[in-house]
Amino acid sequence: MNENMNIPEPSNFIEDVIVDDLRSGKHDKIITRFPPEPNGYLHIGHAKAICINFGIKEKFGGECNLRFDDTNPVKEDVEYMESIKEDIRWLGFEWDRELHASDYFGQMYECAVKLIKDGKAYVCDLSADEIRATRGTLTEPGKESPYRNRNVEENLDLFARMRAGEFADGEKVLRAKIDMSSPNINMRDPVIYRICHAEHPHTGREWVIYPMYDFAHPLEDAIEGITHSLCSLEFENHRPLYDWVTENCGFDPRPRQIEFARLNLTHTVMSKRFLKRLVDEKVVDGWNDPRLSTLSGIRERGYPPEAVRDFCGRIGVAKADSVVDIAMLEHCVREYLNEHATRAMAVLRPLKVIVDNYPEDASEDAVIENNPRDPGAGTHTATFSRELWIERDDFALDPPPRYFRLKPDGTVRLKGAYVVKYKSCELSADGTPEVVHVEYIPGTKSGEEGAAVKVKGTIHWVNARDCADAEMFMYDYLIEDGEGDYMDRLNPDSLTVLSGKVERFAADAPEGERFQFLREGYFVSKGNGRFGSIVALKDGFKG
C-alpha cells in the first residue's frame, strides 16, 4: 500500500481502478492521453473524452499527453491538428507532451519485425475483399490465408521490400498470426500494416507502409508509459488485441485499456465523416458553423467552456451507451449565462410605438440592471423618449385570452420606464399594424415613489432615436430526431436572419461578449451590430 500518497476518493468506475492502482503501489503517477486522429474537427462527443483524460490528470496530479494518431496520411491535415489544440485549450486544459503516432514509426516497424521473427506475423497477398471474405462470422470460424505459413526469412524479405516501396497499394499487407477460429473476430489474423504511397503531413515521403490503428495504438501507449488507456465503448472488443500487441512486442509494464460509454446527444451528429460531408457540400458555413456539434461550432455559437465542462461532469462516466437529451447541455449553458451574461434590451421584430403625450424633444433615463444575479454588476441607462420600438408579438389588435401585453383598452409597463395605455393603431394596406400610439401615465415610472401601479404585463423596448440596427442570426437544431439518413432530416429552418434593434452599448460590444436580451434569450456578439442566438430563456430540461 502506498500509504504516503494523498489519494482523492474515486467518483466513477475508472477512478476506482486508478485509486486501487495507486494504493497498491502499482503506479506512483497516473499518465493518460487524448489521442485524436487529425482527420476533422473535434465535436461535443470528444469533449467528454477530453474532460475524462485531462480531469484525471488534474484530480490525481498526473500527466496527460496530446497525441495525434496520424497513421492514415490520406485523411490527415495540419489544419485539423491546430484546431484540436485550440479546442483543448478553449476547454481549459493543457497537455504535458505533444506527440504524434508517427514519432514511433521506426519503433513500430521494429516491433513488426520482432513479431515476424517470433513467427507471429506474416506477409499476406490477399486483397482487402478476400481477407474480409475469409474472416468468418460470429458463428463460423475464418479460413486461413494460403500465405499464412510462409517462413520467417521470406516474410522478413517481403516486409523489407514493402518498406522499400517495391509493391503497389493493396498488393500486400502484414497480418498478425493469432487464431482464425477465435470467437473474437478482431483476433482472426488482423492486418497490422498496409501499403500507402501518400505524403504524410508529419513524415513526408519517408514511409510507404503504415501501421493499422489496432497495432499502432497499443504500441503508442506502451512507448509513452501510459498507465490507463481510456477509450469509448466501441473498442471493448478490441481490448484482447490491444493486450496481445503489447505483450507479444515485449512491453512490461503494459498499459491497461478501460472503456467508457460514448456521448450520444439528441439533435446531434457524432460523426466526423458526416460533419465533413456537411462542410464539403456547403450545407453549413464551415467547420465552425454555430449549428454544428463541433467544438469550434459551439464556441462560435457562444457556449461558455465552463458550461461544457459542467455538462460533461453531470452526465458522468458510465459503462453502457445511452442518449442524452440536448436540453441538458442547454440547461448547463443557460445556468452559466444566467449568472454571468449582461442584460440588455433588443427587439427582434420591431414595431414602432409613439407616446403621443410625451414631448417630442424630451428624453429621460430608465435604469436597467446589468445582472440581477450579481449585485456587483451595476446598472446601465436606456433613454426613454417619444418614439420607441417594441417587439411585434407584444402587441395584438385581437388578443387571445390571458394576453397581458399591449392591446386595445389595455395598459402595460415598459421595462424600467412608464406604464402606457393604448390609444390607436395605424395599419398597412394588408391590415398589419405599422405604428401603435399610446399615452404614458405620469407618476408611474419604475423606481420612483408612488410608481407601484399594478399592471399584469411588462414588455421591453428600445429608443428609436438612439438604438442601433442589429442583424440577428437565430439558430435552431440542424438535424431533426428520427430514423434514416441524416441528409433527409436536415432542418430547412435551422438558420433565420432577422433585422432588429438593440441598445447601442450592446451593438458596440466586442465580438464574443454574451448578453441576455430581456425576454428574448441569450445572444453572443459577432461584432458590428451582429448577434447570434445561444440558447432560449425557457428551460426545456426536466432533470
Side-chain angles (χ1 to χ4, degrees):
M1 165 112 27
N2 201 337
E3 296 179 350
N4 295 324
M5 293 186 68
N6 184 18
I7 302 173
E9 288 299 315
S11 59
N12 56 60
F13 73 94
I14 293 176
E15 292 183 3
D16 285 338
V17 174
I18 289 171
V19 168
D20 286 346
D21 287 346
L22 288 171
R23 288 176 176 166
S24 69
K26 181 178 181 180
H27 301 295
D28 56 11
K29 177 182 280 190
I30 302 302
I31 305 176
T32 62
R33 80 292 171 269
F34 177 62
E37 184 179 357
N39 63 351
Y41 281 58
L42 300 183
H43 53 64
I44 185 66
H46 293 107
K48 178 178 179 179
I50 292 171
C51 288
I52 289 174
N53 281 285
F54 284 93
I56 285 174
K57 165 194 167 175
E58 292 181 350
K59 182 169 181 175
F60 294 96
E63 296 179 3
C64 184
N65 297 338
L66 168 61
R67 182 207 307 142
F68 293 111
D69 189 21
D70 56 346
T71 58
N72 187 352
V74 175
K75 295 183 178 180
E76 291 148 9
D77 196 285
V78 173
E79 173 193 350
Y80 301 139
M81 297 181 190
E82 293 304 313
S83 74
I84 288 168
K85 291 191 284 187
E86 183 179 3
D87 289 340
I88 295 172
R89 286 186 169 130
W90 174 71
L91 281 173
F93 297 112
E94 189 62 46
W95 49 91
D96 291 276
R97 292 187 290 166
E98 180 181 327
L99 303 164
H100 295 76
S102 55
D103 295 337
Y104 314 124
F105 279 173
Q107 290 165 277
M108 293 177 189
Y109 180 80
E110 292 304 321
C111 286
V113 169
K114 171 179 167 49
L115 292 178
I116 294 173
K117 289 180 178 179
D118 292 344
K120 296 176 180 177
Y122 62 96
V123 174
C124 182
D125 296 2
L126 295 180
S127 69
D129 288 340
E130 289 170 330
I131 291 174
R132 193 176 301 111
T134 57
R135 185 156 288 165
T137 67
L138 293 174
T139 57
E140 297 179 354
K143 296 179 180 178
E144 292 188 357
S145 165
Y147 307 100
R148 195 174 196 264
N149 294 317
R150 278 175 163 156
N151 62 47
V152 170
E153 291 72 22
E154 184 180 6
N155 281 318
L156 287 173
D157 175 64
L158 288 171
F159 191 50
R161 291 165 63 192
M162 287 171 61
R163 165 76 175 91
E166 290 188 25
F167 305 112
D169 291 4
E171 190 173 346
K172 297 182 187 298
V173 295
L174 183 70
R175 297 176 69 178
K177 191 174 184 179
I178 307 179
D179 182 2
M180 289 302 293
S181 62
S182 171
N184 187 329
I185 292 179
N186 295 306
M187 301 295 282
R188 296 179 186 175
D189 289 12
V191 174
I192 59 176
Y193 261 92
R194 83 284 196 194
I195 301 168
C196 181
H197 292 266
E199 185 164 359
H200 189 281
H202 197 57
T203 61
R205 296 283 181 179
E206 182 181 355
W207 293 90
V208 296
I209 58 171
Y210 291 94
M212 302 297 288
Y213 177 87
D214 278 345
F215 183 67
H217 190 73
L219 293 180
E220 295 155 23
D221 286 346
I223 292 167
E224 291 176 17
I226 301 302
T227 58
H228 300 82
S229 180
L230 311 178
C231 56
S232 50
L233 204 59
E234 65 261 35
F235 292 101
E236 183 176 25
N237 289 335
H238 297 247
R239 194 197 317 152
L241 179 55
Y242 180 101
D243 293 338
W244 185 94
V245 169
T246 55
E247 180 179 357
N248 285 279
C249 289
F251 286 93
D252 186 29
R254 299 191 296 272
R256 176 174 177 175
Q257 177 176 303
I258 306 175
E259 306 85 19
F260 58 86
R262 64 183 297 170
L263 172 60
N264 297 298
L265 206 60
T266 60
H267 294 286
T268 305
V269 180
M270 302 294 189
S271 164
K272 283 194 285 187
R273 179 188 59 80
F274 182 71
L275 291 170
K276 188 174 188 302
R277 180 182 175 188
L278 292 175
V279 173
D280 290 346
E281 295 184 14
K282 301 189 184 305
V283 175
V284 295
D285 188 20
W287 286 97
N288 66 338
D289 189 295
R291 294 167 292 173
L292 289 183
S293 62
T294 57
L295 292 182
S296 58
I298 65 176
R299 181 165 64 249
E300 185 74 15
R301 179 74 174 258
Y303 280 25
E306 297 88 348
V308 177
R309 290 181 65 164
D310 179 34
F311 168 70
C312 291
R314 293 193 192 195
I315 60 177
V317 182
K319 294 183 179 181
D321 283 336
S322 61
V323 179
V324 178
D325 192 335
I326 196 172
M328 183 177 180
L329 172 59
E330 294 171 342
H331 171 77
C332 294
V333 172
R334 189 178 292 107
E335 271 199 349
Y336 181 88
L337 293 177
N338 191 37
E339 298 291 332
H340 297 89
T342 300
R343 275 49 171 176
M345 293 194 290
V347 175
L348 307 187
R349 298 170 178 84
L351 174 64
K352 176 66 71 70
V353 168
I354 296 178
V355 187
D356 288 343
N357 63 334
Y358 197 85
E360 289 192 19
D361 298 330
S363 66
E364 56 188 291
D365 290 339
V367 178
I368 307 296
E369 289 180 292
N370 287 331
N371 190 331
R373 307 281 297 186
D374 179 7
T379 61
H380 70 273
T381 55
T383 308
F384 179 84
S385 65
R386 178 182 172 86
E387 292 193 9
L388 311 171
W389 294 104
I390 67 168
E391 193 66 46
R392 186 166 291 275
D393 288 344
D394 283 341
F395 172 71
L397 276 173
D398 184 19
R402 300 185 61 78
Y403 183 86
F404 300 128
R405 288 166 277 176
L406 188 58
K407 59 186 176 180
D409 300 322
T411 58
V412 69
R413 177 174 292 282
L414 300 177
K415 173 70 176 176
Y418 293 98
V419 173
V420 298
K421 58 183 179 180
Y422 173 83
K423 292 293 293 181
S424 63
C425 180
E426 300 175 28
L427 302 178
S428 65
D430 63 0
T432 302
E434 282 194 339
V435 180
V436 178
H437 292 264
V438 300
E439 288 185 350
Y440 83 100
I441 302 175
T444 62
K445 187 177 180 183
S446 297
E448 292 184 351
E449 187 176 350
V453 177
K454 290 185 178 180
V455 291
K456 291 186 176 180
T458 298
I459 64 174
H460 63 281
W461 52 276
V462 294
N463 184 356
R465 186 185 300 172
D466 61 12
C467 69
D469 293 333
E471 194 173 20
M472 305 290 188
F473 294 81
M474 309 298 294
Y475 301 112
D476 199 354
Y477 301 130
L478 180 63
I479 306 292
E480 300 286 4
D481 278 345
E483 302 294 331
D485 191 283
Y486 289 124
M487 296 299 284
D488 296 332
R489 292 191 277 125
L490 292 175
N491 177 8
D493 300 317
S494 61
L495 171 61
T496 305
V497 182
L498 303 176
S499 296
K501 309 287 183 180
V502 67
E503 290 187 75
R504 185 163 295 279
F505 88 94
D508 294 337
E511 186 175 346
E513 186 167 343
R514 303 179 185 95
F515 294 90
Q516 184 196 101
F517 288 160
L518 297 178
R519 302 176 62 243
E520 298 288 4
Y522 293 98
F523 288 75
V524 63
S525 171
K526 293 174 173 285
N528 301 317
R530 299 162 63 245
F531 296 89
S533 64
I534 304 174
V535 66
L537 286 178
K538 186 177 180 181
D539 197 334
F541 176 62
K542 297 178 176 61

